[in-house]
Amino acid sequence: MHDEVDEDIKRLAHALERDLYELYKTPMLSGENLQMALGFSSIDAYRRALTRKKLPIPVF
């Protein structure tokens, strides 16, 4: 059962990566593109979350 979950996660991750690449034409997102992909309503909301270290993904 655990292996099925791992495979499902891998398939979903691959589909998400493919969809984001098709949408933004780059393997890495930053600034406004990352803000939109993460669903923040504005660049200011994204920056506040970044400053507060509340983003759901690691950023550099």
Side-chain angles (χ1 to χ4, degrees):
M1 176 107 174
H2 185 65
D3 291 338
E4 285 182 33
V5 172
D6 287 344
E7 284 302 313
D8 287 345
I9 290 171
K10 287 179 185 178
R11 279 194 294 276
L12 288 170
H14 180 71
L16 178 59
E17 183 180 333
R18 183 189 63 237
D19 291 349
L20 287 171
Y21 188 83
E22 287 177 14
L23 183 62
Y24 296 106
K25 308 294 187 234
T26 180
M28 296 179 66
L29 301 179
S30 63
E32 290 182 12
N33 287 342
L34 184 56
Q35 168 243 315
M36 290 187 296
L38 292 175
F40 286 95
S41 59
S42 69
I43 195 69
D44 288 331
Y46 164 78
R47 288 182 180 145
R48 281 192 301 274
L50 178 63
T51 300
R52 295 176 181 154
K53 299 185 187 313
K54 297 292 184 182
L55 292 178
I57 58 167
V59 294
F60 57 91

